Amino acid sequence: MVAVFRYWIKYYVVSFLSILIIDIIISSLPINFPLFFIFQIVLIFGLWYLISPFIMKLVFKMKPADEHSYLIVKNLASIFKVKTPKVYIADVDFPNAFAFGNIFWRGIAITKPIFNILDDQEISAVIGHELSHLKNKDPEILILSIMGINSIYVGLLYVLPALTGAIIIFYFLVLFPLFFAIHRRVEKRADITAVKTDNSLTIPLETSLIKLGYIKGENLRDMPRFQVLLMKYSLTNRRDGNAIFRTHPSIPERLQYLSKYEIYNWTIPNWY
């Protein structure tokens, strides 16, 4: 958890500094017209959106993937009917995978430790989830939500300057949590898109969530899948709370809605 936090903090700090630099440059331009602030917000976050994939590559120390990993992504991309993204291995010390990019360029990164924890079917399921983000245009949905939320906030400050204190409170109590709610919705849709596209990914996706979220060992690749699934039924009844600043649905919630798409096929190789 500390490793994940460290890398994401580094990413957000670099992103904040890049946004700040873009803001300073745009603010110095001799341009002014009614509602300029909306144009400014769209331009600032739009430019950051275009450079953010390169920030990701730098912070997470990405290198082009090996042929085996690339072929997994390529084969799944054909199933999901999306263009094969650039595939990278991130040389970091926590297990994860993530989709990133902009309208011109798409990528998927797989971190090194995940190969010691998940088997090939579970890795495919996780990649299917990430490809679903690209299929659903989620990077664009999230950047548009950031633009919209910040435009509302700045617009309220512009129109109602006398209520600045109340507007700031409104931002932190309503608008800021709204972004996280949108993010959770996007993550849930990516889960469902993945298993609807290929429902053989359902159980591997469930076991990958349990391994990554609860077992958290270093050498779990060959752990019998039925043993992991035995944990599922206690986890689905677990209450993790409804944190408003959570970017993903809780794992118990994800296991509950994924269960509706389960197909048991005992002939799948490496099931045990």
Side-chain angles (χ1 to χ4, degrees), residues 31-48:
I31 302 173
N32 194 14
F33 52 84
L35 303 181
F36 172 72
F37 64 87
I38 295 179
F39 169 80
Q40 188 174 8
I41 288 170
V42 171
L43 191 56
I44 289 169
F45 285 104
L47 290 172
W48 170 77

Side-chain angles (χ1 to χ4, degrees), residues 11 14-15 17-27 29 38-55 101-104 143-144 146-147:
Y11 170 73
V14 175
S15 292
L17 291 175
S18 66
I19 289 171
L20 183 61
I21 292 170
I22 293 169
D23 184 27
I24 292 171
I25 294 172
I26 293 174
S27 298
L29 297 176
I38 295 179
F39 169 80
Q40 188 174 8
I41 288 170
V42 171
L43 191 56
I44 289 169
F45 285 104
L47 290 172
W48 170 77
Y49 158 78
L50 292 176
I51 67 172
S52 62
F54 304 101
I55 298 174
N102 53 44
I103 57 173
F104 304 110
I143 192 64
L144 287 173
I146 290 173
M147 291 176 180

Side-chain angles (χ1 to χ4, degrees), residues 11-202:
Y11 170 73
Y12 288 126
V13 168
V14 175
S15 292
F16 173 78
L17 291 175
S18 66
I19 289 171
L20 183 61
I21 292 170
I22 293 169
D23 184 27
I24 292 171
I25 294 172
I26 293 174
S27 298
S28 65
L29 297 176
I31 302 173
N32 194 14
F33 52 84
L35 303 181
F36 172 72
F37 64 87
I38 295 179
F39 169 80
Q40 188 174 8
I41 288 170
V42 171
L43 191 56
I44 289 169
F45 285 104
L47 290 172
W48 170 77
Y49 158 78
L50 292 176
I51 67 172
S52 62
F54 304 101
I55 298 174
M56 292 280 286
K57 288 178 63 178
L58 177 66
V59 171
F60 291 95
K61 297 185 273 189
M62 297 182 192
K63 296 180 180 179
D66 57 274
E67 185 177 3
H68 176 67
S69 300
Y70 172 76
L71 288 176
I72 291 175
V73 176
K74 181 180 179 181
N75 292 335
L76 282 166
S78 66
I79 294 172
F80 280 74
K81 295 181 172 57
V82 296
K83 182 180 178 180
T84 304
K86 301 288 185 181
V87 186
Y88 296 93
I89 300 298
D91 188 12
V92 295
D93 54 356
F94 61 91
N96 208 336
F98 33 85
F100 62 106
N102 53 44
I103 57 173
F104 304 110
W105 186 92
R106 301 295 207 188
I108 282 183
I110 309 165
T111 68
K112 279 187 174 180
I114 209 169
F115 293 99
N116 295 323
I117 296 173
L118 305 183
D119 62 32
D120 283 351
Q121 292 176 3
E122 290 165 337
I123 291 171
S124 294
V126 170
I127 292 172
H129 169 92
E130 301 306 331
L131 285 171
S132 295
H133 281 308
L134 302 182
K135 182 182 179 74
N136 293 336
K137 306 290 190 299
D138 289 337
E140 289 67 50
I141 289 173
L142 291 176
I143 192 64
L144 287 173
S145 68
I146 290 173
M147 291 176 180
I149 287 170
N150 282 279
S151 294
I152 292 171
Y153 172 61
V154 176
L156 288 173
L157 291 174
Y158 179 81
V159 174
L160 302 169
L163 299 176
T164 296
I167 292 169
I168 292 173
I169 293 172
F170 175 73
Y171 176 81
F172 284 104
L173 292 183
V174 178
L175 295 180
F176 194 51
L178 176 61
F179 172 74
F180 288 90
I182 293 170
H183 205 303
R184 289 193 298 274
R185 182 69 177 177
V186 159
E187 293 295 338
K188 180 177 180 178
R189 187 175 66 161
D191 282 339
I192 294 174
T193 298
V195 298
K196 279 188 172 181
T197 302
D198 183 355
N199 55 20
S200 70
L201 298 177
T202 305

Side-chain angles (χ1 to χ4, degrees), residues 250-264:
S250 68
I251 291 179
E253 181 184 351
R254 295 174 78 175
L255 293 173
Q256 286 172 7
Y257 61 68
L258 286 172
S259 295
K260 301 174 184 178
Y261 301 93
E262 288 176 358
I263 288 184
Y264 290 90

